Amino acid sequence: MPQPETRDRILDAAEALFVEHGFEGTSMRVITRSAQANLAAVNYHFGSKDALIQAVFRRRLTALNEARLAALDQLEAQAGDAALKPSRIVFAFFGTALAMAADTEHGGATFMRLLSRTYNEPNAFVRQFLAEEYAEVMDRFLGALFRALPEVPRTEIMWRFHFMMGAMSFAMAGIESVHAMAGLPYEDEDPARLLPRLMSFLLGGLRAPLADLAETPRPMMFDVHDGIHGAG
Amino acid sequence: MPQPETRDRILDAAEALFVEHGFEGTSMRVITRSAQANLAAVNYHFGSKDALIQAVFRRRLTALNEARLAALDQLEAQAGDAALKPSRIVFAFFGTALAMAADTEHGGATFMRLLSRTYNEPNAFVRQFLAEEYAEVMDRFLGALFRALPEVPRTEIMWRFHFMMGAMSFAMAGIESVHAMAGLPYEDEDPARLLPRLMSFLLGGLRAPLADLAETPRPMMFDVHDGIHGAG
DNA sequence: GTCTATAATAAGATAGAC
DNA sequence: GTCTATCTTATTATAGAC
């Protein structure tokens, strides 16, 4: 296999380093060194660091979201006039992401870790960019869920979708941290198990009975500002 | 009310700015300006930027985790020899966090957003520090769940706990992003609704039937590396 | 404890030869 | 397209007067 073009080597290196150290924690010097390219190459090929970040996302996120939309198209075509099953909609969205995450050969796994870590990114530029990239997919999938669950308040559906995104985000990040914190040994596991595991959890959450405000126990009291003198 | 001490003003300012722009995206100049303190004050009071980050977490995280342990202690004392209800354990962990998040008066809300955003932090120093802070709580709560659900494989419990952390993390981050992406207007909502909403979702996920690998549909095929030439 | 001034370093970006 | 050398700016950290 011939060595990839400089442009692609930079994208690969940046992707891997961004996952590991974040955007601001990864300098262009480190990127180009890792890519065996010259420092000036980033600006030559992409124009700026921000543009490089965009390019890293775009080359995979476009494919992912197109796959998601295609899966939804297919569901709707199959269903005809009938209502879609919510579980199928959820699977079309999250299963597609996990399929990409299962691709360790071509960097899909690395990218999905980056993508899920970036969902709550503080950097305003990145946040804005991602919102635009997601807009159509969000619109289509939320709309499908609204139609599939007409009796459930839309606010509730949006929250549950949001919770599901959170669960997926942590699923992608890996569970090593939990083992480390709990002081338990971590044994490598079949990545294929992640999909059924996550789907079962997501669907359980989606199908949970709607909360009745009156029935929920009140949070336990504790003085959150003991010894803390916040400015308020 | 007298103006808080410089040290506390710096902590408050840093907390708010870290949420908004991340650790590396927040310079000590911006922090001290916002706190109406001198640039050198950070090094005088904390020693370094890293030490300041630690101090920001420690002043609230210690209280939060002590409240969690106290809630669990109370559950175990009440139960005596009987088994704990998993839902009670989950509530002791996540309900405590949401109680702190509901405290908008003293900065608890800001801190919880920071904490949940930081769970998958790339910065090695911060990650290591947080893992140590969480160790005891994780150990106790996972142990309680293991005993409460002896028939469920421990790996499964750890994954579901991890998924729950993800859902909570996104819950804290707020749902504005979803509205923005979907192009829907966002109306402010009673924050008290978040707790029942999240708990219902979490318990639904926790109680979901264990996945049967054979029954789960296979992920749809799509060529994830169309037009992408990853280095592998 | 607080301040000014400055040191020491690292970052993103670019000019211009090849 | 690639390279070296350099500019400009921003950062953390510190020395030393008050």
Side-chain angles (χ1 to χ4, degrees):
Chain A
M1 192 155 69
Q3 173 144 333
E5 299 294 318
T6 299
R7 199 189 133 89
D8 289 311
R9 291 205 315 278
I10 291 174
L11 286 172
D12 290 336
E15 188 173 70
L17 287 163
F18 287 157
V19 174
E20 210 62 37
H21 305 108
F23 302 117
E24 321 227 27
T26 306
S27 72
M28 309 218 304
R29 283 172 172 79
V30 175
I31 294 169
T32 47
R33 199 183 314 142
S34 162
Q36 293 184 281
N38 187 275
L39 169 61
V42 168
N43 278 291
Y44 176 78
H45 285 285
F46 302 97
S48 70
K49 187 180 179 180
D50 275 359
L52 168 63
I53 295 175
Q54 279 199 36
V56 165
F57 280 97
R58 227 191 289 268
R59 75 168 171 166
R60 295 198 206 269
L61 190 50
T62 304
L64 172 63
N65 279 342
E66 278 171 4
R68 282 169 162 161
L69 291 175
L72 186 56
D73 285 342
Q74 200 186 329
L75 279 187
E76 290 179 338
Q78 284 173 352
D81 288 343
L84 291 190
K85 281 182 69 175
S87 64
R88 295 306 206 110
I89 301 171
V90 168
F91 191 77
F93 188 91
F94 294 99
T96 316
L98 268 83
M100 181 176 268
D103 170 34
T104 52
E105 293 268 318
H106 304 86
T110 304
F111 176 70
M112 283 308 303
R113 283 210 295 149
L114 176 62
L115 181 61
S116 57
R117 208 184 58 54
T118 309
Y119 191 85
N120 289 319
E121 169 67 30
N123 181 317
F125 163 80
V126 177
R127 199 168 35 205
Q128 171 64 20
F129 167 72
L130 273 194
E132 284 166 21
E133 286 283 318
Y134 265 115
E136 186 186 355
V137 183
M138 274 295 177
D139 190 55
R140 286 282 312 274
F141 275 83
L142 279 179
L145 282 173
F146 291 164
R147 282 189 295 280
L149 296 164
E151 75 286 3
V152 181
R154 293 184 167 198
T155 309
E156 203 68 42
I157 292 176
M158 294 176 80
W159 273 106
R160 291 201 170 177
F161 197 78
H162 191 52
F163 295 156
M164 288 191 268
M165 298 273 286
M168 182 186 68
S169 170
F170 273 46
M172 299 282 176
I175 199 176
E176 293 82 354
S177 56
V178 177
H179 287 84
M181 285 182 201
L184 295 173
Y186 174 66
E187 295 141 40
D188 240 352
E189 239 192 307
D190 183 3
R193 290 190 163 236
L194 181 56
L195 178 63
R197 252 193 196 120
L198 179 62
M199 285 304 299
S200 169
F201 180 87
L202 294 182
L203 294 178
L206 180 63
R207 290 173 180 144
L210 292 188
D212 178 351
L213 193 52
E215 260 187 54
T216 311
R218 293 195 51 102
M220 56 283 302
M221 285 299 134
F222 76 101
D223 192 350
V224 286
H225 46 284
D226 244 7
I228 298 178
H229 311 280
Chain B
M1 193 155 70
Q3 172 145 330
E5 299 294 318
T6 299
R7 199 188 132 90
D8 289 310
R9 291 205 316 277
I10 290 175
L11 286 172
D12 291 335
E15 187 173 71
L17 287 162
F18 287 157
V19 173
E20 211 61 38
H21 306 108
F23 302 116
E24 321 228 25
T26 305
S27 72
M28 309 218 303
R29 279 172 171 77
V30 177
I31 294 170
T32 48
R33 200 184 313 142
S34 163
Q36 293 183 282
N38 187 274
L39 169 61
V42 167
N43 277 288
Y44 176 77
H45 285 285
F46 302 96
S48 71
K49 186 179 179 178
D50 275 359
L52 167 62
I53 295 175
Q54 278 200 34
V56 165
F57 279 97
R58 229 192 288 268
R59 75 166 171 167
R60 294 197 206 270
L61 190 50
T62 304
L64 172 63
N65 279 343
E66 277 171 5
R68 281 169 163 162
L69 292 174
L72 186 56
D73 285 341
Q74 199 186 330
L75 280 186
E76 290 178 339
Q78 284 173 352
D81 288 343
L84 292 190
K85 282 182 69 175
S87 64
R88 294 307 206 112
I89 301 172
V90 169
F91 191 76
F93 189 90
F94 294 98
T96 317
L98 268 82
M100 181 175 270
D103 170 33
T104 51
E105 293 269 316
H106 304 87
T110 305
F111 175 71
M112 284 308 303
R113 284 210 296 148
L114 176 63
L115 181 61
S116 58
R117 207 185 59 52
T118 309
Y119 193 87
N120 290 318
E121 169 67 32
N123 181 318
F125 164 79
V126 177
R127 199 168 36 205
Q128 170 66 19
F129 167 72
L130 273 194
E132 284 166 21
E133 286 282 317
Y134 264 114
E136 187 187 355
V137 183
M138 275 295 180
D139 191 56
R140 286 281 313 275
F141 275 84
L142 280 177
L145 282 173
F146 291 164
R147 282 188 295 281
L149 297 163
E151 75 286 2
V152 180
R154 293 184 168 201
T155 309
E156 202 68 42
I157 292 176
M158 294 177 79
W159 273 107
R160 291 200 172 178
F161 197 78
H162 191 53
F163 296 157
M164 287 191 268
M165 299 273 287
M168 182 186 68
S169 169
F170 273 46
M172 298 284 175
I175 199 177
E176 294 82 354
S177 58
V178 178
H179 286 84
M181 286 181 200
L184 296 173
Y186 173 66
E187 296 140 40
D188 239 352
E189 238 191 308
D190 182 5
R193 290 190 162 235
L194 181 57
L195 177 64
R197 244 183 208 132
L198 179 62
M199 285 305 300
S200 169
F201 180 88
L202 295 182
L203 294 178
L206 180 64
R207 290 172 179 145
L210 292 187
D212 179 352
L213 194 51
E215 259 187 53
T216 311
R218 295 195 49 101
M220 56 285 299
M221 286 300 136
F222 76 103
D223 192 349
V224 285
H225 47 285
D226 244 6
I228 299 179
H229 311 280

Short mmCIF file of all heavy atoms in Angstrom, two decimals, chain A residues 138-166:
data_model
loop_
_atom_site.label_atom_id
_atom_site.label_comp_id
_atom_site.label_asym_id
_atom_site.label_seq_id
_atom_site.Cartn_x
_atom_site.Cartn_y
_atom_site.Cartn_z
N MET A 138 -31.28 15.85 12.60
CA MET A 138 -32.08 16.07 13.80
C MET A 138 -33.54 16.33 13.43
O MET A 138 -34.46 15.78 14.02
CB MET A 138 -31.54 17.27 14.57
CG MET A 138 -30.44 16.93 15.49
SD MET A 138 -31.07 15.84 16.79
CE MET A 138 -29.55 15.55 17.67
N ASP A 139 -33.69 17.20 12.47
CA ASP A 139 -35.02 17.57 12.03
C ASP A 139 -35.81 16.34 11.57
O ASP A 139 -36.95 16.12 11.98
CB ASP A 139 -34.87 18.58 10.89
CG ASP A 139 -36.18 19.22 10.54
OD1 ASP A 139 -36.82 19.78 11.45
OD2 ASP A 139 -36.58 19.16 9.36
N ARG A 140 -35.20 15.55 10.73
CA ARG A 140 -35.89 14.36 10.19
C ARG A 140 -36.21 13.34 11.27
O ARG A 140 -37.31 12.81 11.33
CB ARG A 140 -35.01 13.71 9.11
CG ARG A 140 -34.94 14.45 7.78
CD ARG A 140 -36.18 14.24 6.92
NE ARG A 140 -36.58 12.85 6.81
CZ ARG A 140 -36.11 11.97 5.92
NH1 ARG A 140 -35.23 12.37 5.03
NH2 ARG A 140 -36.55 10.74 5.89
N PHE A 141 -35.23 13.05 12.13
CA PHE A 141 -35.45 11.98 13.11
C PHE A 141 -36.42 12.41 14.21
O PHE A 141 -37.27 11.63 14.64
CB PHE A 141 -34.11 11.51 13.71
CG PHE A 141 -33.45 10.46 12.87
CD1 PHE A 141 -32.68 10.82 11.77
CD2 PHE A 141 -33.62 9.11 13.14
CE1 PHE A 141 -32.08 9.86 10.97
CE2 PHE A 141 -33.02 8.14 12.35
CZ PHE A 141 -32.25 8.51 11.27
N LEU A 142 -36.30 13.64 14.65
CA LEU A 142 -37.26 14.10 15.65
C LEU A 142 -38.66 14.12 15.06
O LEU A 142 -39.63 13.69 15.70
CB LEU A 142 -36.87 15.49 16.16
CG LEU A 142 -35.78 15.50 17.23
CD1 LEU A 142 -35.44 16.93 17.64
CD2 LEU A 142 -36.22 14.71 18.46
N GLY A 143 -38.77 14.58 13.82
CA GLY A 143 -40.08 14.57 13.17
C GLY A 143 -40.66 13.17 13.08
O GLY A 143 -41.86 12.95 13.35
N ALA A 144 -39.83 12.20 12.74
CA ALA A 144 -40.30 10.81 12.65
C ALA A 144 -40.77 10.32 14.01
O ALA A 144 -41.80 9.63 14.12
CB ALA A 144 -39.17 9.93 12.12
N LEU A 145 -40.03 10.67 15.06
CA LEU A 145 -40.44 10.24 16.40
C LEU A 145 -41.75 10.93 16.83
O LEU A 145 -42.62 10.31 17.46
CB LEU A 145 -39.33 10.52 17.42
CG LEU A 145 -38.17 9.53 17.41
CD1 LEU A 145 -37.05 10.00 18.33
CD2 LEU A 145 -38.64 8.14 17.83
N PHE A 146 -41.88 12.20 16.48
CA PHE A 146 -43.12 12.91 16.81
C PHE A 146 -44.31 12.19 16.18
O PHE A 146 -45.35 11.98 16.81
CB PHE A 146 -43.08 14.35 16.30
CG PHE A 146 -42.09 15.24 17.02
CD1 PHE A 146 -41.70 16.45 16.47
CD2 PHE A 146 -41.56 14.87 18.25
CE1 PHE A 146 -40.80 17.27 17.13
CE2 PHE A 146 -40.65 15.69 18.91
CZ PHE A 146 -40.27 16.90 18.34
N ARG A 147 -44.17 11.80 14.91
CA ARG A 147 -45.28 11.12 14.23
C ARG A 147 -45.51 9.72 14.78
O ARG A 147 -46.64 9.24 14.86
CB ARG A 147 -44.99 11.05 12.73
CG ARG A 147 -45.24 12.35 12.00
CD ARG A 147 -45.15 12.17 10.49
NE ARG A 147 -43.80 11.82 10.07
CZ ARG A 147 -42.82 12.72 9.93
NH1 ARG A 147 -43.04 14.00 10.18
NH2 ARG A 147 -41.61 12.33 9.55
N ALA A 148 -44.41 9.06 15.17
CA ALA A 148 -44.55 7.68 15.67
C ALA A 148 -45.16 7.64 17.06
O ALA A 148 -45.74 6.63 17.46
CB ALA A 148 -43.19 6.99 15.68
N LEU A 149 -45.02 8.73 17.80
CA LEU A 149 -45.51 8.78 19.19
C LEU A 149 -46.40 10.01 19.37
O LEU A 149 -46.07 10.90 20.16
CB LEU A 149 -44.33 8.84 20.16
CG LEU A 149 -43.39 7.63 20.16
CD1 LEU A 149 -42.07 7.96 20.84
CD2 LEU A 149 -44.05 6.44 20.85
N PRO A 150 -47.52 10.05 18.67
CA PRO A 150 -48.34 11.28 18.69
C PRO A 150 -48.91 11.59 20.07
O PRO A 150 -49.23 12.75 20.35
CB PRO A 150 -49.46 10.98 17.68
CG PRO A 150 -49.51 9.50 17.59
CD PRO A 150 -48.12 8.99 17.84
N GLU A 151 -49.02 10.57 20.93
CA GLU A 151 -49.63 10.81 22.25
C GLU A 151 -48.62 11.33 23.27
O GLU A 151 -48.99 11.75 24.36
CB GLU A 151 -50.29 9.53 22.75
CG GLU A 151 -49.34 8.45 23.25
CD GLU A 151 -48.61 7.72 22.13
OE1 GLU A 151 -48.80 8.11 20.95
OE2 GLU A 151 -47.82 6.81 22.42
N VAL A 152 -47.32 11.27 22.91
CA VAL A 152 -46.28 11.73 23.85
C VAL A 152 -45.94 13.19 23.55
O VAL A 152 -45.74 13.56 22.40
CB VAL A 152 -45.01 10.86 23.72
CG1 VAL A 152 -43.94 11.32 24.71
CG2 VAL A 152 -45.34 9.39 23.92
N PRO A 153 -45.90 14.02 24.60
CA PRO A 153 -45.54 15.43 24.37
C PRO A 153 -44.18 15.56 23.67
O PRO A 153 -43.25 14.82 23.97
CB PRO A 153 -45.47 16.02 25.79
CG PRO A 153 -46.27 15.10 26.63
CD PRO A 153 -46.16 13.75 26.01
N ARG A 154 -44.11 16.50 22.75
CA ARG A 154 -42.88 16.64 21.97
C ARG A 154 -41.68 16.99 22.85
O ARG A 154 -40.56 16.52 22.60
CB ARG A 154 -43.07 17.72 20.90
CG ARG A 154 -44.08 17.28 19.85
CD ARG A 154 -44.24 18.25 18.73
NE ARG A 154 -44.97 17.61 17.64
CZ ARG A 154 -44.99 18.07 16.39
NH1 ARG A 154 -44.32 19.15 16.07
NH2 ARG A 154 -45.68 17.43 15.46
N THR A 155 -41.93 17.80 23.86
CA THR A 155 -40.83 18.13 24.78
C THR A 155 -40.23 16.87 25.38
O THR A 155 -39.01 16.73 25.51
CB THR A 155 -41.36 19.03 25.90
OG1 THR A 155 -42.07 20.12 25.33
CG2 THR A 155 -40.22 19.55 26.74
N GLU A 156 -41.12 15.96 25.75
CA GLU A 156 -40.66 14.71 26.35
C GLU A 156 -39.80 13.90 25.37
O GLU A 156 -38.77 13.34 25.73
CB GLU A 156 -41.88 13.90 26.79
CG GLU A 156 -41.61 12.90 27.86
CD GLU A 156 -41.27 13.57 29.19
OE1 GLU A 156 -41.94 14.57 29.55
OE2 GLU A 156 -40.33 13.09 29.84
N ILE A 157 -40.23 13.86 24.13
CA ILE A 157 -39.48 13.11 23.12
C ILE A 157 -38.10 13.72 22.92
O ILE A 157 -37.09 13.02 22.84
CB ILE A 157 -40.27 13.09 21.80
CG1 ILE A 157 -41.53 12.25 21.97
CG2 ILE A 157 -39.40 12.54 20.67
CD1 ILE A 157 -42.43 12.25 20.74
N MET A 158 -38.05 15.03 22.88
CA MET A 158 -36.76 15.68 22.69
C MET A 158 -35.83 15.39 23.85
O MET A 158 -34.63 15.11 23.65
CB MET A 158 -36.95 17.19 22.52
CG MET A 158 -37.69 17.53 21.23
SD MET A 158 -38.03 19.30 21.07
CE MET A 158 -36.44 19.90 20.50
N TRP A 159 -36.34 15.43 25.05
CA TRP A 159 -35.49 15.13 26.21
C TRP A 159 -34.98 13.69 26.14
O TRP A 159 -33.80 13.43 26.36
CB TRP A 159 -36.25 15.34 27.52
CG TRP A 159 -36.19 16.76 28.02
CD1 TRP A 159 -37.18 17.68 27.99
CD2 TRP A 159 -35.06 17.41 28.60
NE1 TRP A 159 -36.75 18.87 28.53
CE2 TRP A 159 -35.45 18.73 28.92
CE3 TRP A 159 -33.76 17.02 28.91
CZ2 TRP A 159 -34.58 19.66 29.52
CZ3 TRP A 159 -32.90 17.94 29.50
CH2 TRP A 159 -33.31 19.24 29.80
N ARG A 160 -35.87 12.79 25.82
CA ARG A 160 -35.42 11.40 25.81
C ARG A 160 -34.41 11.15 24.69
O ARG A 160 -33.48 10.36 24.84
CB ARG A 160 -36.63 10.46 25.69
CG ARG A 160 -37.46 10.50 26.95
CD ARG A 160 -38.35 9.31 27.16
NE ARG A 160 -38.89 9.39 28.52
CZ ARG A 160 -39.75 8.55 29.04
NH1 ARG A 160 -40.20 7.53 28.31
NH2 ARG A 160 -40.17 8.69 30.28
N PHE A 161 -34.61 11.82 23.59
CA PHE A 161 -33.62 11.70 22.52
C PHE A 161 -32.27 12.25 23.01
O PHE A 161 -31.21 11.66 22.76
CB PHE A 161 -34.09 12.45 21.28
CG PHE A 161 -33.36 12.06 20.03
CD1 PHE A 161 -33.67 10.89 19.37
CD2 PHE A 161 -32.36 12.87 19.51
CE1 PHE A 161 -32.99 10.52 18.21
CE2 PHE A 161 -31.67 12.50 18.36
CZ PHE A 161 -31.99 11.34 17.72
N HIS A 162 -32.35 13.35 23.69
CA HIS A 162 -31.14 13.97 24.25
C HIS A 162 -30.45 13.01 25.23
O HIS A 162 -29.23 12.81 25.18
CB HIS A 162 -31.56 15.26 24.96
CG HIS A 162 -30.43 16.15 25.36
ND1 HIS A 162 -29.45 16.55 24.50
CD2 HIS A 162 -30.14 16.75 26.55
CE1 HIS A 162 -28.58 17.35 25.14
NE2 HIS A 162 -28.99 17.48 26.38
N PHE A 163 -31.20 12.39 26.11
CA PHE A 163 -30.64 11.41 27.05
C PHE A 163 -29.99 10.25 26.28
O PHE A 163 -28.91 9.77 26.65
CB PHE A 163 -31.74 10.85 27.95
CG PHE A 163 -32.37 11.86 28.87
CD1 PHE A 163 -33.66 11.65 29.38
CD2 PHE A 163 -31.71 13.03 29.24
CE1 PHE A 163 -34.25 12.57 30.22
CE2 PHE A 163 -32.29 13.95 30.09
CZ PHE A 163 -33.57 13.72 30.58
N MET A 164 -30.65 9.82 25.22
CA MET A 164 -30.09 8.72 24.43
C MET A 164 -28.75 9.11 23.81
O MET A 164 -27.81 8.32 23.78
CB MET A 164 -31.09 8.30 23.34
CG MET A 164 -32.30 7.56 23.88
SD MET A 164 -33.30 6.79 22.58
CE MET A 164 -34.46 8.08 22.24
N MET A 165 -28.68 10.35 23.33
CA MET A 165 -27.41 10.83 22.78
C MET A 165 -26.32 10.78 23.86
O MET A 165 -25.16 10.45 23.58
CB MET A 165 -27.57 12.27 22.30
CG MET A 165 -28.57 12.45 21.18
SD MET A 165 -27.84 12.20 19.55
CE MET A 165 -26.89 13.69 19.38
N GLY A 166 -26.69 11.14 25.06
CA GLY A 166 -25.72 11.11 26.15
C GLY A 166 -25.22 9.70 26.44
O GLY A 166 -24.02 9.47 26.60
#
